[in-house]
mmCIF file of all heavy atoms in Angstrom:
data_model
loop_
_atom_site.group_PDB
_atom_site.id
_atom_site.type_symbol
_atom_site.label_atom_id
_atom_site.label_comp_id
_atom_site.label_asym_id
_atom_site.label_seq_id
_atom_site.Cartn_x
_atom_site.Cartn_y
_atom_site.Cartn_z
ATOM 1 N N LYS D 134 26.438 155.794 -71.076
ATOM 2 C CA LYS D 134 25.442 155.287 -70.177
ATOM 3 C C LYS D 134 24.348 154.471 -70.858
ATOM 4 O O LYS D 134 24.018 153.382 -70.501
ATOM 5 C CB LYS D 134 24.788 156.450 -69.415
ATOM 6 C CG LYS D 134 23.774 156.014 -68.319
ATOM 7 C CD LYS D 134 23.276 157.167 -67.506
ATOM 8 C CE LYS D 134 22.367 156.713 -66.423
ATOM 9 N NZ LYS D 134 21.942 157.771 -65.565
ATOM 10 N N THR D 137 25.574 151.038 -71.955
ATOM 11 C CA THR D 137 25.927 150.082 -70.935
ATOM 12 C C THR D 137 24.851 149.814 -69.906
ATOM 13 O O THR D 137 25.052 149.131 -68.913
ATOM 14 C CB THR D 137 27.204 150.626 -70.145
ATOM 15 O OG1 THR D 137 26.938 151.864 -69.615
ATOM 16 C CG2 THR D 137 28.394 150.636 -71.048
ATOM 17 N N MET D 138 23.708 150.308 -70.137
ATOM 18 C CA MET D 138 22.535 150.151 -69.201
ATOM 19 C C MET D 138 21.804 148.853 -69.542
ATOM 20 O O MET D 138 21.437 148.618 -70.704
ATOM 21 C CB MET D 138 21.554 151.313 -69.226
ATOM 22 C CG MET D 138 22.074 152.563 -68.539
ATOM 23 S SD MET D 138 22.309 152.281 -66.738
ATOM 24 C CE MET D 138 24.053 152.406 -66.619
ATOM 25 N N LEU D 139 21.625 148.077 -68.538
ATOM 26 C CA LEU D 139 20.786 146.858 -68.712
ATOM 27 C C LEU D 139 19.341 147.245 -68.500
ATOM 28 O O LEU D 139 19.014 148.182 -67.792
ATOM 29 C CB LEU D 139 21.200 145.837 -67.619
ATOM 30 C CG LEU D 139 22.591 145.222 -67.796
ATOM 31 C CD1 LEU D 139 22.901 144.328 -66.598
ATOM 32 C CD2 LEU D 139 22.762 144.472 -69.128
ATOM 33 N N GLN D 144 18.649 143.426 -65.132
ATOM 34 C CA GLN D 144 19.291 143.702 -63.826
ATOM 35 C C GLN D 144 18.799 142.761 -62.730
ATOM 36 O O GLN D 144 19.526 142.333 -61.883
ATOM 37 C CB GLN D 144 19.018 145.150 -63.454
ATOM 38 C CG GLN D 144 19.891 146.151 -64.281
ATOM 39 C CD GLN D 144 19.670 147.522 -63.787
ATOM 40 O OE1 GLN D 144 19.555 147.840 -62.636
ATOM 41 N NE2 GLN D 144 19.734 148.496 -64.732
ATOM 42 N N ALA D 152 26.272 141.106 -59.972
ATOM 43 C CA ALA D 152 25.236 142.090 -59.692
ATOM 44 C C ALA D 152 25.774 143.233 -58.880
ATOM 45 O O ALA D 152 25.547 144.393 -59.131
ATOM 46 C CB ALA D 152 24.084 141.425 -59.034
ATOM 47 N N ALA D 153 26.582 142.911 -57.879
ATOM 48 C CA ALA D 153 27.169 143.903 -56.940
ATOM 49 C C ALA D 153 28.096 144.819 -57.773
ATOM 50 O O ALA D 153 28.094 146.064 -57.591
ATOM 51 C CB ALA D 153 27.873 143.209 -55.781
ATOM 52 N N LYS D 154 28.980 144.226 -58.542
ATOM 53 C CA LYS D 154 29.938 145.008 -59.304
ATOM 54 C C LYS D 154 29.247 145.873 -60.346
ATOM 55 O O LYS D 154 29.658 147.037 -60.506
ATOM 56 C CB LYS D 154 30.980 144.047 -59.996
ATOM 57 C CG LYS D 154 32.003 143.515 -59.066
ATOM 58 C CD LYS D 154 33.019 142.712 -59.804
ATOM 59 C CE LYS D 154 34.086 142.198 -58.765
ATOM 60 N NZ LYS D 154 35.170 141.437 -59.405
ATOM 61 N N TYR D 155 28.264 145.343 -60.956
ATOM 62 C CA TYR D 155 27.559 146.176 -62.004
ATOM 63 C C TYR D 155 26.871 147.345 -61.311
ATOM 64 O O TYR D 155 26.969 148.495 -61.775
ATOM 65 C CB TYR D 155 26.592 145.344 -62.831
ATOM 66 C CG TYR D 155 25.877 146.161 -63.847
ATOM 67 C CD1 TYR D 155 26.513 146.575 -65.024
ATOM 68 C CD2 TYR D 155 24.562 146.588 -63.654
ATOM 69 C CE1 TYR D 155 25.830 147.351 -65.966
ATOM 70 C CE2 TYR D 155 23.887 147.328 -64.543
ATOM 71 C CZ TYR D 155 24.542 147.730 -65.746
ATOM 72 O OH TYR D 155 23.876 148.504 -66.646
ATOM 73 N N THR D 156 26.156 147.109 -60.220
ATOM 74 C CA THR D 156 25.455 148.148 -59.497
ATOM 75 C C THR D 156 26.383 149.143 -58.990
ATOM 76 O O THR D 156 26.139 150.357 -59.079
ATOM 77 C CB THR D 156 24.595 147.537 -58.350
ATOM 78 O OG1 THR D 156 23.659 146.568 -58.909
ATOM 79 C CG2 THR D 156 23.849 148.578 -57.578
ATOM 80 N N GLU D 157 27.505 148.714 -58.452
ATOM 81 C CA GLU D 157 28.529 149.636 -57.937
ATOM 82 C C GLU D 157 29.119 150.495 -59.076
ATOM 83 O O GLU D 157 29.274 151.711 -58.913
ATOM 84 C CB GLU D 157 29.635 148.827 -57.288
ATOM 85 C CG GLU D 157 30.735 149.688 -56.667
ATOM 86 C CD GLU D 157 31.792 148.754 -56.028
ATOM 87 O OE1 GLU D 157 31.457 147.908 -55.194
ATOM 88 O OE2 GLU D 157 32.975 148.960 -56.352
ATOM 89 N N ALA D 158 29.337 149.912 -60.252
ATOM 90 C CA ALA D 158 29.862 150.632 -61.379
ATOM 91 C C ALA D 158 28.873 151.697 -61.895
ATOM 92 O O ALA D 158 29.263 152.798 -62.217
ATOM 93 C CB ALA D 158 30.246 149.680 -62.496
ATOM 94 N N VAL D 159 27.621 151.308 -61.909
ATOM 95 C CA VAL D 159 26.519 152.225 -62.391
ATOM 96 C C VAL D 159 26.467 153.425 -61.407
ATOM 97 O O VAL D 159 26.420 154.593 -61.840
ATOM 98 C CB VAL D 159 25.186 151.535 -62.513
ATOM 99 C CG1 VAL D 159 24.014 152.567 -62.644
ATOM 100 C CG2 VAL D 159 25.180 150.546 -63.662
ATOM 101 N N ASN D 160 26.464 153.135 -60.103
ATOM 102 C CA ASN D 160 26.379 154.183 -59.106
ATOM 103 C C ASN D 160 27.632 155.104 -59.132
ATOM 104 O O ASN D 160 27.459 156.365 -59.101
ATOM 105 C CB ASN D 160 26.247 153.592 -57.703
ATOM 106 C CG ASN D 160 24.870 152.930 -57.520
ATOM 107 O OD1 ASN D 160 23.937 153.233 -58.207
ATOM 108 N ND2 ASN D 160 24.789 152.004 -56.542
ATOM 109 N N ALA D 161 28.795 154.544 -59.329
ATOM 110 C CA ALA D 161 30.032 155.341 -59.423
ATOM 111 C C ALA D 161 29.984 156.231 -60.669
ATOM 112 O O ALA D 161 30.364 157.423 -60.608
ATOM 113 C CB ALA D 161 31.232 154.450 -59.457
ATOM 114 N N PHE D 162 29.478 155.654 -61.738
ATOM 115 C CA PHE D 162 29.418 156.475 -63.023
ATOM 116 C C PHE D 162 28.382 157.629 -62.808
ATOM 117 O O PHE D 162 28.687 158.754 -63.204
ATOM 118 C CB PHE D 162 28.929 155.555 -64.180
ATOM 119 C CG PHE D 162 28.833 156.270 -65.493
ATOM 120 C CD1 PHE D 162 29.971 156.535 -66.234
ATOM 121 C CD2 PHE D 162 27.591 156.672 -65.939
ATOM 122 C CE1 PHE D 162 29.832 157.253 -67.445
ATOM 123 C CE2 PHE D 162 27.429 157.371 -67.154
ATOM 124 C CZ PHE D 162 28.592 157.640 -67.902
ATOM 125 N N ASN D 163 27.217 157.295 -62.239
ATOM 126 C CA ASN D 163 26.245 158.381 -62.028
ATOM 127 C C ASN D 163 26.771 159.477 -61.134
ATOM 128 O O ASN D 163 26.511 160.642 -61.314
ATOM 129 C CB ASN D 163 24.966 157.754 -61.474
ATOM 130 C CG ASN D 163 24.196 156.948 -62.521
ATOM 131 O OD1 ASN D 163 24.368 157.142 -63.733
ATOM 132 N ND2 ASN D 163 23.342 156.038 -62.023
ATOM 133 N N THR D 164 27.458 159.080 -60.060
ATOM 134 C CA THR D 164 28.059 160.068 -59.101
ATOM 135 C C THR D 164 29.099 160.927 -59.828
ATOM 136 O O THR D 164 29.071 162.121 -59.674
ATOM 137 C CB THR D 164 28.689 159.327 -57.929
ATOM 138 O OG1 THR D 164 27.630 158.595 -57.246
ATOM 139 C CG2 THR D 164 29.311 160.331 -56.947
ATOM 140 N N ALA D 165 29.956 160.315 -60.586
ATOM 141 C CA ALA D 165 31.013 161.036 -61.294
ATOM 142 C C ALA D 165 30.441 162.016 -62.297
ATOM 143 O O ALA D 165 30.825 163.208 -62.364
ATOM 144 C CB ALA D 165 31.982 160.091 -61.958
ATOM 145 N N THR D 166 29.484 161.541 -63.088
ATOM 146 C CA THR D 166 28.978 162.446 -64.162
ATOM 147 C C THR D 166 27.980 163.485 -63.590
ATOM 148 O O THR D 166 27.692 164.479 -64.263
ATOM 149 C CB THR D 166 28.212 161.631 -65.240
ATOM 150 O OG1 THR D 166 27.242 160.840 -64.643
ATOM 151 C CG2 THR D 166 29.237 160.758 -65.993
ATOM 152 N N ALA D 241 35.260 156.211 -64.277
ATOM 153 C CA ALA D 241 33.998 155.524 -63.940
ATOM 154 C C ALA D 241 33.394 154.865 -65.183
ATOM 155 O O ALA D 241 32.858 153.785 -65.101
ATOM 156 C CB ALA D 241 33.006 156.492 -63.280
ATOM 157 N N THR D 244 35.209 151.583 -65.835
ATOM 158 C CA THR D 244 34.770 150.598 -64.869
ATOM 159 C C THR D 244 33.383 150.095 -65.271
ATOM 160 O O THR D 244 33.109 148.886 -65.221
ATOM 161 C CB THR D 244 34.795 151.134 -63.453
ATOM 162 O OG1 THR D 244 36.099 151.643 -63.140
ATOM 163 C CG2 THR D 244 34.311 150.146 -62.436
ATOM 164 N N LEU D 245 32.514 150.984 -65.689
ATOM 165 C CA LEU D 245 31.161 150.584 -66.077
ATOM 166 C C LEU D 245 31.191 149.740 -67.335
ATOM 167 O O LEU D 245 30.467 148.731 -67.367
ATOM 168 C CB LEU D 245 30.312 151.866 -66.300
ATOM 169 C CG LEU D 245 28.880 151.630 -66.756
ATOM 170 C CD1 LEU D 245 28.114 150.765 -65.775
ATOM 171 C CD2 LEU D 245 28.124 152.956 -67.006
ATOM 172 N N LYS D 246 31.973 150.109 -68.280
ATOM 173 C CA LYS D 246 32.101 149.247 -69.512
ATOM 174 C C LYS D 246 32.630 147.893 -69.193
ATOM 175 O O LYS D 246 32.063 146.871 -69.732
ATOM 176 C CB LYS D 246 33.016 149.957 -70.503
ATOM 177 C CG LYS D 246 32.503 151.218 -71.161
ATOM 178 C CD LYS D 246 33.587 151.840 -72.045
ATOM 179 C CE LYS D 246 33.118 153.169 -72.582
ATOM 180 N NZ LYS D 246 34.217 153.845 -73.389
ATOM 181 N N ALA D 248 32.302 146.266 -66.308
ATOM 182 C CA ALA D 248 31.226 145.595 -65.579
ATOM 183 C C ALA D 248 30.143 145.147 -66.547
ATOM 184 O O ALA D 248 29.578 144.062 -66.433
ATOM 185 C CB ALA D 248 30.652 146.489 -64.455
ATOM 186 N N TYR D 249 29.835 146.005 -67.505
ATOM 187 C CA TYR D 249 28.754 145.693 -68.457
ATOM 188 C C TYR D 249 29.172 144.452 -69.328
ATOM 189 O O TYR D 249 28.392 143.608 -69.569
ATOM 190 C CB TYR D 249 28.471 146.892 -69.377
ATOM 191 C CG TYR D 249 27.443 146.590 -70.410
ATOM 192 C CD1 TYR D 249 26.054 146.510 -70.065
ATOM 193 C CD2 TYR D 249 27.833 146.405 -71.708
ATOM 194 C CE1 TYR D 249 25.121 146.225 -71.088
ATOM 195 C CE2 TYR D 249 26.901 146.134 -72.709
ATOM 196 C CZ TYR D 249 25.579 146.036 -72.408
ATOM 197 O OH TYR D 249 24.636 145.755 -73.342
ATOM 198 N N VAL D 252 28.430 141.291 -67.613
ATOM 199 C CA VAL D 252 27.037 140.879 -67.322
ATOM 200 C C VAL D 252 26.080 141.017 -68.505
ATOM 201 O O VAL D 252 24.919 140.646 -68.393
ATOM 202 C CB VAL D 252 26.479 141.696 -66.167
ATOM 203 C CG1 VAL D 252 27.260 141.397 -64.867
ATOM 204 C CG2 VAL D 252 26.444 143.190 -66.434
#
Side-chain angles (χ1 to χ4, degrees):
K134 184 174 182 174
T137 57
M138 285 296 112
L139 294 174
Q144 286 183 37
K154 283 186 179 182
Y155 180 76
T156 301
E157 184 180 305
V159 168
N160 291 338
F162 180 80
N163 289 337
T164 299
T166 57
T244 302
L245 178 59
K246 288 175 188 176
Y249 178 76
V252 298

